[in-house]
Amino acid sequence: MRAEVLIIEDEREMAELIAMYLQKEGVATKICESAEQGLEIVKEHALDLVVLDINLPGIDGFEFLQVLRKKSSVPVIIVSAREGDEDVILGLGIGADEFVTKPFAPKVLVARIRALLRRYRSDPSGYSESGLLHFGPYSLNMEGCLLRKGSKRVPLSCKEFDVLKYLVVNSGKALTPEVIYREVWGNIYGDLTTVAVYIQRIRKKIEQNYSEPVYLQTIHGKGYRFNPETLISAKGS
Ligand code: CA
């Protein structure tokens, strides 16, 4: 798989281990030991994915992610020895796509990286007219993690995209956090508050008035619903 992955990790051995496994897959890697260096590299290179440690000298992985997400939707996998739920929720809440705790099986990490790269890749040269779903001023490219407002890209992580897509495809239905978690994360064991975190993040990106959502509505006691009235069925209308 041709891709370039940046590994931000201050433990040299860990970084080299991850790099070695990725190189076996034909993935090119860059390693840096601090988030500050990482931000410089991100500025200068078109990367396909970032593997991010949290405990770093200088600014930590969370801060890095917050800065990164202001300008890039490159997939990010956090690899951290901190496994508290708060860390996972915070990491996902500020735009990570995956959270892997140390120690981890390198094969598992590589499989997750491959899956994310594949999905991100299916975002074609930017824009394909097929497989687009329109709502309000937005178009959702069902093939890739891509949402546009007019011609402008809305930065969504792959997971945010998945949540939005699931709700749009099932528009009109009230979906409980349990169902959303099961269908999007493919897992029944997890922290359901993650769903609320994602809904909030997506709302911040697409709703004009965050407290009165037009698209992603809360149905009290039931869950969330994508408003079917905002869907535009005929393209170009
Ligand atoms: Ca570290």
Side-chain angles (χ1 to χ4, degrees), residues 9-11 53 55-56 102:
E9 168 66 81
D10 59 328
E11 288 165 63
D53 183 25
N55 292 324
L56 292 163
K102 293 177 189 169

